Amino acid sequence: MTASPPGPLADLRVVETGSLIAGPFCGQLLADFGAEVIKVEDPARGDPMREWGVHSEGTSLSWPVIARGKKSVTCDLRSAEGQRILRELVAQADVLVENFRPGTLERWGLSPEALHEINPGLVLVRVTGYGQDGPYSGRAGFGSIGEAMGGLRHVTGEADRPPSRTGISLGDSLAGTFSALGAMMALHARQRTGRGQVVDTAIYEAVLAFMESLLPEWQLAGHRRERTGAILPGIAPSNAYPTADGAEVIIGANRDTVFTRLCAAMDRPELAAEDELGTHSARGERQRELDELISAWTRTLPTDELLDRLHEAGVPAGRVYTAADMAEDPHFAARKAIVRLMHPELGEFPMQNVVPRLSDTPGEVRGLGPELGEHNDEVYGALLGADARQLARWREAKVI
């Protein structure tokens, strides 16, 4: 069997002290592309993600994903000895990821200035709800609050109902993604300067970055985006449409050329030539009427036949996939979008593969989330030079 090539980040060492999702998702992305990610966990219980979410046979199904490819060591960072251990790890690391409340590292004598005295090239990634400064910085912050403050919740859901949420922790994952991007930019700058720096990621700002033209629409046009359910006002046709066998298909045909192809597929080519529907702005003004017209057509066709006709015509369309659909889809299989690893208790364990794909130095899921403290001896022994007697003393004192 041919060995996998090293990932593009195989020369990087990352120490991750974060918990839950925002900080650890940054670590997951870096591990996916080959970085050695040493996850530092509380000796008593470890990261709460070991216990959160849906379980199978008493095992969290979230932990193997968010901690994939990482090494786990335990260390009580609230103790002086634990803080000394972290300093030793930082001295040999490229990146430190943390998502404590602002000021926590400083109270432990681990401020950016102190850490850069130990390791001038260290990139310190700090993920919080509100950022490291500003009047709200000291507040506790969760991803859900960042989604609200960043504007996402206000525009999510139906107009006549309270704000809704997506079924995933989107704000946390966005913050983790921007944090990984920030780490890469800081490491690139280090090649020129030789110095590390702080990457300050606020969850609400990560959400805000995705809000398109929401701000100038309000300030310059007096337009406030609102919840609009499955549609975007003025973007038509683009909606979920019912089929003859009780399913729904997403169709996106708001571009003029695509709408022309949709009309041909409907055997209604004359619609595209009408002044009332022939342009993007005209279709936006008659959005509801147009959706009703298309729905009347889609209801006459079974899902597979409808999709075959739309794909043949070059109209973007697709099912609303569930996990079961993904597991059975030939395109997912051909692209290896789902990777399956063996879990020691649960057997075959499926999860999403690495994104994006690199042609020469691709990423890889190198292992499921580790057991708590699984790599204590390896990391503390080989990296820090701790012998068996030292490890035993740390365990007895509950430092690790």
Side-chain angles (χ1 to χ4, degrees):
M1 183 176 178
T2 304
S4 301
L9 305 183
D11 58 337
L12 296 180
R13 177 174 292 128
V14 178
V15 176
E16 177 197 301
T17 63
S19 61
L20 297 176
I21 297 176
F25 188 65
C26 171
Q28 177 195 319
L29 296 176
L30 300 178
D32 281 350
F33 288 96
E36 179 189 21
V37 178
I38 300 172
K39 182 170 181 62
V40 180
E41 300 184 71
D42 179 76
R45 300 189 66 179
D47 191 319
M49 289 303 292
R50 291 181 177 275
E51 302 175 2
W52 284 23
V54 176
H55 286 59
S56 176
E57 299 181 18
T59 299
S60 167
L61 301 182
S62 298
W63 173 253
V65 180
I66 193 72
R68 68 191 196 184
K70 301 178 185 179
K71 297 177 179 178
S72 170
V73 300
T74 51
C75 184
D76 180 7
L77 295 179
R78 292 172 177 80
S79 70
E81 184 67 5
Q83 293 158 13
R84 187 187 69 77
I85 292 173
L86 182 61
R87 289 187 185 93
E88 290 191 31
L89 289 173
V90 163
Q92 302 187 58
D94 298 284
V95 179
L96 172 63
V97 179
E98 65 99 353
N99 61 352
F100 302 113
R101 196 178 297 193
T104 301
L105 286 186
E106 285 78 359
R107 288 197 304 274
W108 292 345
L110 298 168
S111 67
E113 294 77 15
L115 293 175
H116 282 140
E117 285 184 9
I118 300 168
N119 182 350
L122 180 73
V123 172
L124 174 56
V125 178
R126 314 192 76 174
V127 190
T128 56
Y130 304 96
Q132 294 298 312
D133 53 16
Y136 303 160
S137 60
R139 295 179 180 178
F142 260 25
S144 56
I145 311 304
E147 291 171 16
M149 186 175 177
L152 180 63
R153 290 294 183 100
H154 181 75
V155 299
T156 303
E158 300 293 336
D160 59 347
R161 301 175 195 173
S164 186
R165 67 166 295 163
T166 57
I168 57 172
S169 300
L170 186 58
D172 287 313
S173 297
L174 286 174
T177 302
F178 278 114
S179 294
L181 176 62
M184 291 297 95
M185 290 188 289
L187 289 167
H188 183 73
R190 189 179 72 175
Q191 293 179 347
R192 299 193 307 273
T193 67
R195 297 282 304 176
Q197 58 184 294
V198 175
V199 177
D200 179 1
T201 304
I203 297 175
Y204 87 93
E205 289 171 354
V207 173
L208 179 63
F210 268 63
M211 295 310 294
E212 300 176 350
S213 56
L214 177 141
L215 289 170
E217 287 173 8
W218 167 250
Q219 182 168 328
L220 302 178
H223 173 74
R224 190 175 85 169
R225 291 202 189 191
E226 301 289 351
R227 292 182 291 283
T228 55
I231 66 166
L232 288 176
I235 307 298
S238 182
N239 207 337
Y241 299 93
T243 66
D245 47 8
E248 288 185 326
V249 166
I250 303 294
I251 300 174
N254 46 294
R255 188 172 178 177
D256 291 352
T257 54
V258 181
F259 182 66
T260 299
R261 296 198 292 269
L262 172 62
C263 294
M266 296 171 62
D267 296 325
R268 298 287 305 275
E270 73 280 1
L271 294 177
E274 294 181 7
D275 290 341
E276 293 85 355
L277 296 174
T279 65
H280 178 83
S281 58
R283 289 190 297 276
E285 293 173 0
R286 300 181 63 186
Q287 186 166 29
R288 178 173 296 182
E289 177 185 346
L290 182 56
D291 279 344
E292 290 174 354
L293 187 153
I294 295 171
S295 294
W297 172 66
T298 60
R299 284 193 184 94
T300 67
L301 298 170
T303 303
D304 289 341
E305 182 180 342
L306 172 63
L307 286 171
D308 286 345
R309 188 176 297 194
L310 291 170
H311 293 157
E312 185 176 350
V315 176
R319 301 173 185 270
V320 179
Y321 273 42
T322 65
D325 297 319
M326 298 173 191
E328 298 172 359
D329 189 273
H331 191 78
F332 278 67
R335 295 266 304 168
K336 297 182 175 61
I338 298 174
V339 63
R340 291 172 170 81
L341 286 76
M342 291 305 297
H343 190 282
E345 285 141 20
L346 303 177
E348 185 179 85
F349 194 103
M351 66 175 72
Q352 57 273 34
N353 210 337
V354 176
V355 177
R357 298 183 175 206
L358 276 64
S359 60
D360 295 337
T361 56
E364 180 185 6
V365 181
R366 291 173 167 81
L368 300 175
E371 294 298 315
L372 181 62
E374 180 179 336
H375 301 92
N376 278 355
D377 289 0
E378 174 189 337
V379 172
Y380 293 145
L383 188 59
L384 302 189
D387 58 20
R389 186 175 300 177
Q390 179 66 74
L391 291 169
R393 283 199 295 266
W394 282 342
R395 288 191 175 98
E396 184 177 358
K398 298 183 178 179
V399 175
I400 66 173

